[in-house]
Amino acid sequence: GSLEDPLPLPYVAGSSSRDEYRADVRLVDEDATDEILGWNAYNERDITGMRYVLVEMTVTGLDPYGVSATFPTYDLALATPDGAVYPNAFVVGDDDTTLLRDAGMIDEGEKATGLVAYLVPEDATDLLLTDYANYYAF
């Protein structure tokens, strides 16, 4: 998929020998800044001109050897129509928050659901998901 004609979700990650995981992704909050800053004091750093975006990923393991839940958080980024790409932001959750990276290994056929945060410019619009080669529409 291109910036002009993005692919529909879900996203399927594959290696040269097999598919690794499937990610169903939905945009949860286009401005989750106040929420994320309230999760943990570590998240309260200077982000002037930026805002946090939260997406929820449900990842299904497709690899018989399992897949780490951190892979989709690093594989998938947010992009804007101008081609700018924003990788996941490391944030610390609170006791009520399930971050995808904390799900550990996902066995073949198993699912894990969690949140992934991204830090984008305040004026970013029309967000897309990207794996740095293809673009996907929410």
Side-chain angles (χ1 to χ4, degrees), residues 9 23-33 35-36 39 51-59 72-79 86-89 91 97-101 112-120 127-130 136-138:
L9 288 167
D24 293 282
V25 186
R26 71 179 183 95
L27 193 60
V28 174
D29 191 341
E30 288 193 47
D31 189 354
T33 304
E35 178 182 355
I36 290 174
W39 285 348
R51 75 175 194 275
Y52 284 106
V53 174
L54 272 179
V55 301
E56 181 184 71
M57 292 187 192
T58 298
V59 178
T73 65
Y74 292 116
D75 291 347
L76 300 170
L78 291 189
Y86 304 94
N88 74 304
V91 296
T97 304
T98 303
L99 299 173
L100 181 62
R101 70 164 190 264
T113 299
L115 298 172
V116 181
Y118 298 91
L119 196 56
V120 303
L127 298 171
L128 301 166
L129 192 69
T130 182
Y136 300 84
F138 282 106

Side-chain angles (χ1 to χ4, degrees), residues 85 111 129:
V85 174
K111 291 184 180 192
L129 192 69

